[in-house]
């Protein structure tokens, strides 16, 4: 695996790969890698791409500074895992490389209602920060395919919209000036045997918290299975009670349209839906979702 820290260097390398006709698959991460990330790398490899992974803990997307400081940093282990997974290239920039003139100078994109609901409501500014860094990463790598995990479902929609906005303002073009074609591939959430969604944050849970945290997935399954049987309001209340009893503080238990995350008061017969939960297990904030 080749490691680059500078934008100019990785761009040169990617240009040479492209001259050789390679397709580029890109997996952006914040490190503290787990099997969920490795499944994205495996998917990209299976699809025949040269796989580029980035590790950058983006300060601009943490609304809570202590969350940023506590975010696990395990770079030696990450490099070993990526090497084992046969990742081809790792982009490992410093903050000054991504934001040479500070965060305020980086281009910000606006996502309307999508950045104000659910995660956006509970983590103000989070998606602005995600948009800022993903725009820079996309311009650097210009992948044919971008692999994202369904666990961060709202982020997947935000990044889809980001691509549209970057095409509209012509900040994401290939060498001929045409919109750079990047396909977003949303991959299923990887789960532990008890259903807990894999997340870098899980390693901050104590053993009892770790056991309790599986209740989040069980609640999502309950929301999914009670469609056509129960009103969503009632299911939500049952889930809230279950989580509280386990010592988990729910931030939201929501049902939304899958296409644009329009929040739904109840199940809708002809709408593709997604149920989403954010909850705090001790100090650790976890999110998860399931298609309904
Ligand atoms: O999901 C993540 O790990 C991050 O939000 C991302 C997409 C790498 C941007 O920092």
């Amino acid at each position: 695996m080749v490691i680059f820290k500078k934008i100019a260097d990785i761009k040169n390398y990617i240009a040479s790969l492209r001259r050789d006709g390679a397709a580029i698959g890109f997996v952006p991460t914040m490190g503290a890698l787990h099997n969920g990330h490795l499944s994205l790398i495996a998917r990209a490899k299976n699809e025949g791409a040269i796989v580029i992974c980035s590790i950058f803990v983006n300060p601009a997307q943490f609304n809570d500074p202590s969350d940023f400081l506590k975010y696990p940093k395990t770079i030696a282990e990450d490099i070993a895992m990526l090497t084992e997974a046969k990742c081809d290239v790792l982009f490992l920039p410093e903050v000054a490389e991504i934001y040479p003139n500070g965060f305020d100078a980086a281009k910000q994109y606006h996502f309307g209602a999508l950045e104000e609901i659910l995660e956006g409501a509970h983590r103000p500014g989070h998606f602005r920060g995600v948009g800022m860094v993903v725009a820079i990463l996309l311009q650097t790598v210009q992948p044919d395919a971008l692999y994202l995990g369904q666990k961060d479902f709202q982020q997947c929609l935000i990044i889809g919209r980001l691509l549209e906005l970057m095409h509209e303002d012509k900040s994401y073009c290939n060498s001929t000036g045409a919109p750079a074609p990047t396909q977003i591939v949303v991959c299923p959430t990887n789960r532990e045997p008890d259903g807990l969604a894999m997340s870098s944050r899980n390693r901050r849970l104590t053993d009892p918290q770790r056991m309790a945290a599986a209740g989040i997935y069980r609640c999502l399954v309950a929301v999914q299975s009670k469609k056509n049987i129960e009103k969503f309001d009632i299911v939500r209340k049952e889930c809230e009670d279950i989580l509280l009893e386990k010592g988990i503080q729910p931030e939201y238990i929501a049902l939304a349209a899958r296409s644009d995350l329009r929040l739904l008061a109840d199940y809708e017969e002809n709408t593709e839906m997604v149920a989403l939960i954010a909850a705090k297990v001790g100090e650790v904030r976890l999110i998860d979702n399931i298609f309904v």
Side-chain angles (χ1 to χ4, degrees), residues 190-210:
N190 270 246
R191 299 187 177 281
E192 303 291 351
D194 62 0
L196 178 68
M198 289 187 187
S199 163
S200 307
R201 293 168 193 268
N202 292 354
R203 61 180 87 203
R204 289 176 51 207
L205 299 170
T206 63
D207 286 346
Q209 287 171 342
R210 166 65 194 80

Side-chain angles (χ1 to χ4, degrees), residues 43-44 46 114 123 221 251 281:
R43 172 87 177 258
N46 272 343
L114 196 53
R123 303 183 67 191
V221 172
E251 283 191 356
V281 188

Side-chain angles (χ1 to χ4, degrees), residues 194-196 209-219 243 246 248:
D194 62 0
L196 178 68
Q209 287 171 342
R210 166 65 194 80
M211 277 175 69
I216 296 174
Y217 177 64
R218 270 184 239 124
C219 286
L243 293 179
K246 291 179 180 295
I248 298 175

